Amino acid sequence: MKKISNILLLALVATGLSSCLKDKYNALGPDNSPSVVEFKNPGTISSVSPAGALYSMYPQSFPAQASVDATYTVQLTGPNPAGQDITVTVGVDTAAVRKFNADQRIKNPTFVGYDLPDASTYTFPQTSYVIKAGQRSVDIVVSYKSDKFDFKKKYAFPLAITSTSAATVSGNFGTILINLSAKNAWDGVYNYKTSATTALRPNLNETARLVTSGANTVTTPLVNYYTAAANELTYEIDPATNKVKVLNGGIGDPVVDPSSNWDPVKKILYVKWSAGSRSFEETYTYTGPR
């Protein structure tokens, strides 16, 4: 009788252990390695955060508007999906920006640190999400008020998984930094043409990009070719008059013809200017976002 009792006791213990191990699956993968919850790469990692950096940095630009939603994916790593529902809470880790800047300055004393976005420039429609049993991921949303971004600042938004109901938060991708920037009205991809009399590269018909550098300025390589910093061309557009100025180009002081203008209906930027003995006549026709 005592033997039978011992067998029953062992069976109950085994059942209890089985139950515990079943729950523990949410923290351990099938090979007994920890299951990890992390952010999926939202894009190309910036060169400022190579392998070994404290956090991964991802540049993202958004049109300057009152609200724009960005979607990020939280995923469970490992060969198998979640064994049961896993609740994930997201938020910001402000200390991550300070740590990243400090680490970069150790490597490069002249490093210019990133700015933490003001809390007024973003909201979380919700902070709690669920990776359903049998699933591997869930999409989370951050709403940015990109019209409040300061064009002069270099932002790093520290998006973080702050807790999970099971599994382990990744030490590498549990917090990621989003290098936020706003796009002004002239930012985008353009068909670029030059006249027959344009210096350096006449009769062009190719694709060019105008990149936001300020509230009313965009930059591009000189004649869409010379990429040295000294030859970075800056156009300034007056939103009230649609008149265009050329601020620099590395080949002398620019003199802009008064016919230079932005057509907001056709989205065409026409710029006629000269610097020293060289003259330029350029037409940018908008084809889509950058």
Side-chain angles (χ1 to χ4, degrees):
M1 183 69 179
K2 184 177 180 180
K3 185 175 180 181
I4 294 174
S5 297
N6 289 338
I7 291 173
L8 288 174
L9 179 60
L10 287 172
L12 288 171
V13 170
T15 301
L17 285 173
S18 175
S19 177
C20 289
L21 288 172
K22 182 178 180 181
D23 290 340
K24 190 67 175 176
Y25 172 78
N26 295 288
L28 293 176
D31 59 353
N32 287 330
S33 61
S35 293
V36 173
V37 175
E38 65 182 18
F39 285 107
K40 182 179 179 181
N41 284 354
T44 302
I45 296 179
S46 170
S47 60
V48 301
S49 60
L54 281 180
Y55 301 98
S56 295
M57 178 83 71
Y58 302 89
Q60 290 191 327
S61 295
F62 301 95
Q65 55 192 48
S67 181
V68 56
D69 288 346
T71 300
Y72 304 95
T73 300
V74 174
Q75 62 184 6
L76 179 69
T77 63
N80 292 333
Q84 65 180 47
D85 288 358
I86 300 176
T87 300
V88 177
T89 305
V90 296
V92 295
D93 179 5
T94 57
V97 178
R98 294 193 297 271
K99 292 177 183 177
F100 183 85
N101 287 339
D103 181 63
Q104 291 298 310
R105 289 191 183 105
I106 292 173
K107 300 170 183 175
N108 176 13
T110 63
F111 175 77
V112 178
Y114 284 83
D115 298 297
L116 181 70
D118 189 270
S120 65
T121 63
Y122 62 86
T123 59
F124 288 89
Q126 66 183 78
T127 56
S128 182
Y129 294 84
V130 177
I131 300 177
K132 295 289 188 181
Q135 301 297 314
R136 295 178 179 271
S137 64
V138 63
D139 288 341
I140 69 109
V141 175
V142 181
S143 296
Y144 295 115
K145 300 175 183 179
S146 49
D147 61 344
K148 293 185 177 181
F149 290 175
D150 187 335
F151 287 100
K152 296 179 181 179
K153 290 188 175 181
K154 189 171 69 169
Y155 288 125
F157 178 66
L159 182 59
I161 300 169
T162 58
S163 68
T164 67
S165 62
T168 302
V169 178
S170 170
N172 293 324
F173 298 100
T175 296
I176 57 175
L177 301 180
I178 309 299
N179 177 205
L180 294 173
S181 61
K183 300 178 183 179
N184 63 28
W186 306 278
D187 188 296
V189 178
Y190 289 77
N191 171 253
Y192 175 64
K193 293 181 179 179
T194 60
S195 67
T197 58
T198 292
L200 302 176
R201 300 188 74 211
N203 296 315
L204 292 180
N205 185 358
E206 60 190 29
T207 299
R209 288 169 173 78
L210 297 182
V211 179
T212 297
S213 58
N216 300 316
T217 57
V218 286
T219 59
T220 192
L222 177 66
V223 290
N224 200 37
Y225 181 78
Y226 296 96
T227 57
N231 295 129
E232 187 175 72
L233 197 62
T234 300
Y235 300 119
E236 181 180 58
I237 301 93
D238 185 332
T241 65
N242 291 316
K243 292 296 183 179
V244 180
K245 293 180 181 179
V246 179
L247 301 185
N248 61 297
I251 56 171
D253 295 333
V255 178
V256 182
D257 189 280
S259 63
S260 300
N261 74 97
W262 163 255
D263 185 332
V265 176
K266 296 180 180 179
K267 292 192 172 184
I268 296 175
L269 182 71
Y270 173 75
V271 193
K272 187 176 182 181
W273 61 289
S274 62
S277 61
R278 295 186 175 99
S279 62
F280 303 87
E281 187 175 15
E282 306 168 301
T283 303
Y284 295 84
T285 302
Y286 183 82
T287 60
R290 176 175 59 87

